[in-house]
């Protein structure tokens, strides 16, 4: 096949060809950080806790991930090409104000992090998780499947953040990967209970979006994805899985994607 771009990683994880236990997993220790308000509605330690579970939960007498060194580590923030990744598809003013910790009160309010929004640690982790999704996509193209321990920031649009999401990793990663050789179509499959409204607001040639969500849930005003499947309240497992299979199969048949980004929600 065509030569792919080098992996955008600050550290390579366990060689996937020698890894008999799991597909490549991307993680950065700064996805979570200390001194987060203890009663905040967004549990900032969930990324660290997920990594800890992967490193400590025993499966047949051994943890799934044997060492933190086995995770692939995304680029550090100072190495990220902001122009290509963010300014090319997002409002320059909004992104710059966020990176400088200068978002207005009006811009911060829908995001939900309140007075924490300008914290350097939050700014860093927001950019890092986007880098993590870009790296996971590169690894998936090379090895068939890969995952990022953070991301899925699907309420962030080209001009604003909302619902605890500030920069949309799915849109940025799609745009970065579509510059790669031989990648013409990417499908974002979003199974979060809330519609992936931010992702739907990006116009990226080659990126299609499928959102399966609860119709009556947030956001009140829905955006228009390529495919929208609004579920009724109280939808059971069997019905959900039937609609999921039908929707995903239809989208894959019609789009013929080279890569699928799955936001588990």
């Amino acid at each position: 096949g065509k030569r792919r771009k080098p992996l955008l990683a600050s550290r390579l994880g366990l060689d996937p060809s020698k890894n008999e236990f799991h597909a490549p997993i991307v993680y950065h220790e700064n996805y979570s950080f200390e001194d987060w308000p203890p009663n905040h509605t967004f549990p900032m330690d969930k990324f660290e806790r997920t990594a800890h579970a992967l490193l400590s939960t025993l499966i047949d007498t051994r943890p799934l991930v044997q060492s933190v060194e086995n995770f692939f580590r995304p680029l550090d923030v100072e190495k990220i090409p902001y122009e290509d990744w963010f300014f090319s598809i997002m409002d320059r003013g909004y992104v710059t104000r966020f990176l400088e910790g200068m978002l207005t009160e009006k811009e911060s309010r829908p995001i939900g992090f309140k007075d924490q929004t300008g914290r350097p640690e939050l700014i860093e982790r927001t950019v890092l998780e986007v880098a993590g999704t870009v790296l996971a996509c590169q690894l998936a193209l090379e090895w068939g499947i890969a995952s990022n321990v953070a991301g899925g920031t699907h309420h962030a649009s080209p001009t604003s953040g909302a619902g605890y999401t500030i920069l949309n990793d799915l849109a940025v990663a799609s745009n970065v990967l579509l510059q790669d050789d031989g990648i013409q179509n990417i499908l974002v499959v979003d199974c979060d209970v809330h519609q992936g409204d931010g992702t739907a607001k990006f116009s990226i040639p080659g990126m299609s979006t499928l959102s399966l969500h609860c119709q009556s849930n947030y956001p009140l005003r829905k955006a228009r994805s390529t495919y929208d499947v609004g579920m009724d309240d109280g939808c059971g497992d069997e019905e959900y899985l039937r609609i999921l299979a039908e929707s995903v199969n239809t989208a894959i048949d019609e789009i013929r994607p080279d890569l699928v980004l799955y936001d588990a929600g």
Side-chain angles (χ1 to χ4, degrees), residues 87 91-103 167:
F87 298 138
D91 179 75
R92 185 179 289 271
Y94 166 69
V95 176
T96 303
R97 284 191 297 281
F98 167 65
L99 294 173
E100 292 175 355
M102 301 294 288
L103 284 183
L167 302 173

Side-chain angles (χ1 to χ4, degrees), residues 50-67:
T50 303
H52 177 75
L54 291 167
L55 289 160
S56 60
T57 306
L58 296 184
I59 299 162
D60 296 333
T61 74
R62 54 151 282 156
L64 182 66
V65 183
Q66 288 207 286
S67 154

Side-chain angles (χ1 to χ4, degrees), residues 38 59 86 111 145 194 202 243:
I59 299 162
F86 300 109
I111 293 168
I145 188 168
H194 307 124
F202 282 84
I243 295 169

Side-chain angles (χ1 to χ4, degrees), residues 18-38:
K18 298 188 173 77
N19 187 346
E20 298 167 26
F21 297 98
H22 59 85
I25 302 172
V26 176
Y27 176 68
H28 194 292
E29 65 279 5
N30 291 355
Y31 282 172
S32 294
F33 56 88
E34 300 297 312
D35 302 322
W36 187 249

Side-chain angles (χ1 to χ4, degrees), residues 15-260:
D15 180 351
S17 68
K18 298 188 173 77
N19 187 346
E20 298 167 26
F21 297 98
H22 59 85
I25 302 172
V26 176
Y27 176 68
H28 194 292
E29 65 279 5
N30 291 355
Y31 282 172
S32 294
F33 56 88
E34 300 297 312
D35 302 322
W36 187 249
N39 300 321
H40 199 287
T41 44
F42 186 89
M44 189 55 77
D45 64 347
K46 66 181 175 181
F47 311 104
E48 187 182 11
R49 281 169 36 209
T50 303
H52 177 75
L54 291 167
L55 289 160
S56 60
T57 306
L58 296 184
I59 299 162
D60 296 333
T61 74
R62 54 151 282 156
L64 182 66
V65 183
Q66 288 207 286
S67 154
V68 77
E69 304 289 311
N70 291 358
F71 291 124
F72 283 77
R73 191 172 179 272
L75 289 179
D76 287 312
V77 286
E78 58 277 5
K79 294 279 172 66
I80 285 167
Y82 289 87
E83 194 68 42
D84 289 353
W85 285 19
F86 300 109
F87 298 138
S88 62
I89 56 167
M90 295 183 68
D91 179 75
R92 185 179 289 271
Y94 166 69
V95 176
T96 303
R97 284 191 297 281
F98 167 65
L99 294 173
E100 292 175 355
M102 301 294 288
L103 284 183
T104 65
E105 202 275 328
K106 190 181 174 188
E107 287 174 312
S108 296
R109 198 182 312 124
I111 293 168
F113 291 133
K114 300 180 180 156
D115 54 349
Q116 305 290 318
T117 317
R119 278 183 69 174
E121 303 97 322
L122 182 78
I123 296 166
E124 181 190 20
R125 74 144 319 274
T126 301
V127 174
L128 282 174
E129 72 181 341
V130 175
T133 298
V134 171
L135 177 55
C137 287
Q138 287 189 305
L139 287 161
L141 278 174
E142 200 169 331
W143 299 99
I145 188 168
S147 60
N148 182 16
V149 176
T153 48
H154 65 165
H155 298 306
S157 79
T159 56
S160 62
Y164 306 120
T165 67
I166 301 169
L167 302 173
N168 191 311
D169 65 317
L170 301 158
V172 171
S174 294
N175 190 55
V176 171
L177 270 291
L178 283 160
Q179 317 302 321
D180 205 342
D181 291 343
I183 305 300
Q184 279 160 347
N185 290 304
I186 290 179
L187 174 64
V188 178
V189 175
D190 189 334
C191 290
D192 193 285
V193 70
H194 307 124
Q195 189 203 34
D197 59 327
T199 320
K201 289 173 186 168
F202 282 84
S203 299
I204 297 171
M207 180 184 83
S208 303
T209 51
L210 162 61
S211 178
L212 289 100
H213 49 265
C214 177
Q215 188 59 33
S216 68
N217 214 314
Y218 175 93
L220 194 60
R221 284 204 200 104
K222 302 286 187 277
R224 181 174 288 184
S225 313
T226 316
Y227 304 91
D228 279 303
V229 184
M231 307 281 202
D232 294 330
D233 292 17
C235 171
D237 291 355
E238 279 180 32
E239 188 193 0
Y240 182 92
L241 291 171
R242 179 183 61 75
I243 295 169
L244 173 68
E246 218 171 84
S247 313
V248 170
N249 286 333
T250 298
I252 286 176
D253 285 347
E254 292 178 2
I255 303 296
R256 312 302 302 170
D258 303 296
L259 178 69
V260 173

